[in-house]
Amino acid sequence: MTAVSRSAQSRNRAGRSGGWCCAPAEPSGPARHRPPKGEASHMKIGIIGAGNIGGNLTRRLTALGHDVSVANSRGPHTLTALGEETGATPVRVEDAARGAEVVVIAIPVKAVADLPSGLLDGAAEGVAVIDTGNYYPQRDGRIAGIEDEGLTESRWTERQIGHPVVKAFNGTYAQDILDGPRPAGAPDRMALPVAGDDETAKRRVRALIDELGFDTVDAGGIDDSWRQQPGTPVYGLRAGLDAVTKALAEASPERSADFRA
């Protein structure tokens, strides 16, 4: 088993996309602070992808009282058990974003380009779209926009779906979504990097992650999101605010051979 396949299987990051850009400014101190409570409560959330990341987010978000619709490529009939377990509503991919205030895309990167046209047309105004993705060329094939144009993974995803995204959960172990939550202020509370250009959407996503039991570090805009892509110091890091902030600052835009086509 190669290093890449071990990483892909053990970390279970769904929905990969990637590329490289100029180095952004290091994350600033104030951006590390947790957003106010209450911004993420009782939302309608659509999750596209019911694998390890998508499935565990479905479990946690329904437990928190959110109205969750979940879809996969095989159809809602294959999600009956997950729906019965969690109370989430299995739907077609075409219907996953209908009325949603947050949409999570948790599918392999090679599948992003095949998402239905107009996927977000029925979403709530100002919908925040979370991209959990990572680009693994050995799995996803060579993506020219990433390899040749130097797009970050999430910038490439934005182009496919025609909507801004917030990059989060891409370096998170799926099991930590279930086992890792801690109350605010706990010394062992993990922090997750979050990148995005839409500050309102990013604030909503950070509030949701806070509700899930994790701190967040503002990792900058989508062109900065290479700092949290596969092979970077923060990728898969289980640590708090200071360590995650330091890891983001230490990232190099030079991609390792394991994550190049």
Side-chain angles (χ1 to χ4, degrees), residues 18-241:
W20 307 94
C21 228
C22 53
E26 295 182 7
S28 60
R32 299 166 52 223
H33 294 185
R34 288 187 299 273
K37 291 279 191 177
E39 294 184 29
S41 298
H42 308 296
M43 292 191 294
K44 183 168 177 53
I45 298 174
I47 298 179
I48 301 171
N52 292 303
I53 293 289
N56 283 352
L57 284 173
T58 298
R59 292 178 176 93
R60 288 297 322 286
L61 292 169
T62 51
L64 289 170
H66 295 288
D67 179 4
V68 177
S69 296
V70 60
N72 66 7
S73 61
R74 295 178 296 147
H77 65 283
T78 66
L79 297 172
T80 301
L82 182 61
E84 291 176 348
E85 174 194 345
T86 64
T89 303
V91 297
R92 303 182 308 153
V93 172
E94 291 84 352
D95 299 322
R98 194 176 304 280
E101 299 162 80
V102 173
V103 172
V104 180
I105 298 178
I107 60 177
V109 133
K110 62 184 178 181
V112 170
D114 297 327
L115 288 171
S117 177
L119 174 69
L120 300 169
D121 288 353
E125 184 176 356
V127 60
V129 179
I130 300 174
D131 171 28
T132 74
N134 297 300
Y135 169 52
Y136 294 127
Q138 292 84 343
R139 179 199 62 189
D140 298 312
R142 189 180 192 279
I143 296 178
I146 294 169
E147 299 287 353
D148 300 335
E149 297 181 51
L151 298 176
T152 59
E153 300 172 353
S154 290
R155 184 67 76 195
W156 182 86
T157 293
E158 285 187 344
R159 289 192 178 185
Q160 308 314 303
I161 67 172
H163 193 280
V165 303
V166 176
K167 190 175 189 72
F169 298 109
N170 73 291
T172 306
Y173 289 89
Q175 193 61 35
D176 285 346
I177 294 172
L178 300 181
D179 299 340
R182 298 291 187 271
D188 60 343
R189 199 183 208 218
M190 287 188 285
L192 309 184
V194 179
D197 296 333
D198 183 332
E199 291 300 325
T200 299
K202 186 157 61 173
R203 186 164 55 249
R204 183 181 299 170
V205 172
R206 294 183 72 191
L208 186 65
I209 293 171
D210 180 68
E211 187 183 4
L212 283 165
F214 303 92
D215 286 334
T216 58
V217 175
D218 190 332
I222 287 300
D223 287 338
D224 306 333
S225 64
W226 57 266
R227 290 184 179 273
Q228 65 193 80
Q229 292 178 163
T232 60
V234 82
Y235 183 74
L237 179 65
R238 290 164 158 152
L241 287 166

